[in-house]
Amino acid sequence: MKLTIIGSGYVGLTTGACFAEVGHHVVCVDNDPKKVETLLAGQIPIYEPGLEAMVKKNVAAKRLRFTTSTEEGVDHGEVLFIAVPTPPQPDGSVDLSFIEKVAREISQYLGSYRVIVDKSTVPVKTGDRVAQTIRRYAKPGVEFDVVSNPEFLREGSAVADLMKPDRIVIGGNSDRALALMQKVYEPFVSPVLVTDINSAELIKHAANSFLALKISYINALSEICETSGADVLKVAEGIGADKRIGRDFLNAGLGYGGSCFPKDIAAFIAISEQMGIPFNLLKEVQRINKRQLDRFLDSIREALWVLKDKKLAVWGIAFKPNTDDVRSSVAADLVEKLVAEGANVSVYDPKAMEKAQGLAFADKITFATSALEAARGTEALIIATEWAEFASVDLAELREVMRTPLIFDGRNLIDPVAAADFGFQYRGIGRGAIEARS
Ligand code: UDX
């Protein structure tokens, strides 16, 4: 099929590449000429495992191309996917101006029948607004349908998530549009759930909020574990073994960050408030999430007494492993706060060093070339992102390079008993403090 993706960011680019991979002919539109130039030169502006090879392969096979022209995109695609940003406004509600602008642009070029798909995460009822806008600005009598088709991809495994999603949600009110959408997804072997537009839109916010709720649930438990002497990892294992609950997203830590969860939870709260039915449970989810970092910082302050002029290593600055994304990263917030209190912080992240250079406090931190280099001569090590390589660190070597042996493990990566055996004083999340044994 001929498909068009408008907006070539994380979601748009990955979606476009995966559609091309299964045999569709895809045009990706972006209004940033520099980004399009980069993509045309075969470079990918983001780090996403498997994406670069997939883009190159499909560009070479002439199934994927890039343009700045919306007109070209509308002309090409039987189905037009809108994948532009939906950033948060100061009050948490969603800024829909990019969606509205694209809807107007599309309407300008609409000739024959097109399906217009909301791929971006949008508040329930946005589909109605997009349809209304297109009807208002398009030539009279032009035929089109609007469909909601939310994405559930995770950064770092976006390609795999898109090639084999747990489910594909298609929300629409027209049989003609739904038939075309089924054809789009025919090559994918995942279950398809067809709903009305409102339900599809709601599913996205409800899914992300539920996952955030799971994280805050275990994080709230982590505080109870610390006070009662229980081990949150064992508790997570014990409750996660119940199939109805599941072990995923029960890792206690510094809380969730990234470009989706914080924004989507705030948006869902705003949406519910606009409807006059405030979703207060989600406010508690937010409060617990913020409290995890505050509590962690308190435990660092308590152990080190004074932070000013202390040499500290922070491992991880990305908002989670397998990505170079530092947007709304709790690890970055942590470093910013340590720096503000006068600590000398050296940072190492396996992939996010370049992106971290763009952070507001970048000139106030040292960028190390390896995890051990970051730890050299420091008085404490803080683990902020759950990269696998940090879990397999050689504790003997780490002990060697550090000035004083303190580990604050914000992601429960290190075995506390092993750390104690190597002479470290260890603090994890929800596991209590462990004193060094030698
Ligand atoms: C998320 C959703 O998973 C995805 O379905 C949606 O489309 C977009 O938002 P993503 O933002 O890429 O994807 O990150 P995810 O892997 O879900 O992790 C989000 C945050 O939660 C990270 O900061 C991570 O460190 C944290 N997290 C995750 C925990 O603290 N504990 C956990 O158990 C799981």
Side-chain angles (χ1 to χ4, degrees):
M1 286 178 85
K2 288 178 164 184
L3 306 177
T4 292
I5 319 280
I6 301 176
S8 304
Y10 242 111
V11 172
L13 181 59
T14 320
T15 307
C18 290
F19 281 159
E21 180 72 14
V22 298
H24 295 309
H25 288 265
V26 182
V27 167
C28 283
V29 181
D30 202 283
N31 65 0
D32 178 354
K34 260 173 78 189
K35 187 184 270 179
V36 170
E37 222 172 88
T38 310
L39 289 165
L40 286 171
Q43 284 157 13
I44 306 297
I46 49 175
Y47 168 75
E48 189 59 48
L51 185 59
E52 189 162 321
M54 191 181 264
V55 168
K56 279 196 174 133
K57 178 181 155 197
N58 286 287
V59 167
K62 302 217 174 322
R63 284 193 300 265
L64 179 63
R65 61 190 162 91
F66 303 98
T67 177
T68 52
S69 161
T70 306
E71 183 173 9
E72 191 184 330
V74 175
D75 191 49
H76 169 86
E78 302 159 67
V79 182
L80 316 172
F81 291 84
I82 305 179
V84 293
T86 47
Q89 308 200 84
D91 68 350
S93 65
V94 184
D95 175 358
L96 291 166
S97 58
F98 296 106
I99 300 266
E100 194 261 356
K101 186 165 157 277
V102 169
R104 275 188 286 119
E105 275 170 17
I106 290 174
S107 60
Q108 229 182 299
Y109 306 116
L110 274 185
S112 53
Y113 178 75
R114 294 287 183 267
V115 177
I116 293 128
V117 183
D118 269 334
K119 192 72 170 156
S120 312
T121 302
V122 291
V124 59
K125 297 215 150 304
T126 301
D128 290 352
R129 287 295 199 174
V130 168
Q132 185 188 56
T133 304
I134 295 175
R135 216 170 290 121
R136 193 174 287 157
Y137 287 90
K139 288 185 276 294
V142 159
E143 283 188 297
F144 70 92
D145 279 306
V146 173
V147 161
S148 164
N149 171 219
E151 54 74 22
F152 301 97
L153 57 86
R154 290 163 297 174
E155 289 184 22
S157 55
V159 171
D161 288 348
L162 256 161
M163 292 306 287
K164 211 182 169 321
D166 290 344
R167 79 303 207 183
I168 292 157
V169 175
I170 304 173
N173 307 331
S174 128
D175 290 343
R176 189 179 182 185
L178 289 173
L180 275 172
M181 289 302 288
Q182 299 266 17
K183 222 173 125 196
V184 170
Y185 283 105
E186 221 167 58
F188 298 84
V189 281
S190 299
V192 175
L193 175 68
V194 176
T195 71
D196 57 283
I197 298 191
N198 293 341
S199 302
E201 288 168 340
L202 211 59
I203 284 169
K204 176 60 195 274
H205 274 124
N208 271 2
S209 298
F210 191 80
L211 291 170
L213 178 119
K214 256 189 120 173
I215 298 171
S216 279
Y217 185 84
I218 198 71
N219 281 337
L221 271 176
S222 75
E223 193 172 356
I224 293 175
C225 288
E226 281 163 33
T227 310
S228 59
D231 181 345
V232 77
L233 263 83
K234 293 284 174 220
V235 175
E237 205 181 317
I239 59 178
D242 184 329
K243 280 202 279 299
R244 293 168 303 173
I245 297 173
R247 177 62 184 80
D248 289 351
F249 278 71
L250 282 182
N251 294 326
L254 295 178
Y256 60 78
S259 62
C260 291
F261 280 178
K263 156 176 105 82
D264 289 353
I265 281 76
F268 207 19
I269 291 172
I271 293 161
S272 67
E273 279 173 353
Q274 275 162 20
M275 288 180 182
I277 24 181
F279 206 153
N280 290 331
L281 178 64
L282 297 183
K283 288 193 178 160
E284 190 58 14
V285 168
Q286 282 182 320
R287 190 195 64 81
I288 295 165
N289 199 55
K290 185 179 169 298
R291 182 165 166 76
Q292 282 306 93
L293 178 57
D294 293 344
R295 291 198 312 113
F296 191 62
L297 277 162
D298 280 346
S299 77
I300 297 173
R301 287 186 199 107
E302 197 271 323
L304 296 179
W305 189 21
V306 171
L307 286 187
K308 192 168 181 307
D309 296 332
K310 286 270 153 59
K311 281 189 81 178
L312 305 177
V314 175
W315 284 359
I317 193 99
F319 86 94
K320 67 168 194 177
N322 302 321
T323 178
D324 64 350
D325 198 345
V326 295
R327 288 175 297 169
S328 300
S329 164
V330 183
D333 287 351
L334 168 81
V335 173
E336 185 167 27
K337 292 201 161 111
L338 295 172
V339 168
E341 291 186 38
N344 294 320
V345 182
S346 76
V347 170
Y348 174 73
D349 188 286
K351 285 279 177 236
M353 299 301 267
E354 208 181 304
K355 291 267 162 78
Q357 305 274 359
L359 292 165
F361 53 86
D363 58 337
K364 298 195 184 78
I365 58 176
T366 309
F367 290 91
T369 50
S370 71
L372 278 180
E373 262 330 294
R376 189 175 298 281
T378 56
E379 294 159 274
L381 164 67
I382 298 159
I383 303 177
T385 310
E386 59 273 37
W387 284 97
E389 76 164 72
F390 301 155
S392 56
V393 64
D394 183 330
L395 289 169
E397 245 182 302
L398 181 65
R399 175 69 194 89
E400 247 338 271
V401 299
M402 286 181 68
R403 171 129 185 255
T404 50
L406 258 82
I407 298 177
F408 296 93
D409 187 352
R411 298 290 178 181
N412 289 339
L413 284 187
I414 307 265
D415 174 10
V417 177
D421 285 346
F422 280 96
F424 286 98
Q425 193 183 327
Y426 174 91
R427 275 164 206 243
I429 302 276
R431 325 180 78 176
I434 297 191
E435 293 306 323
R437 292 199 187 153
S438 50

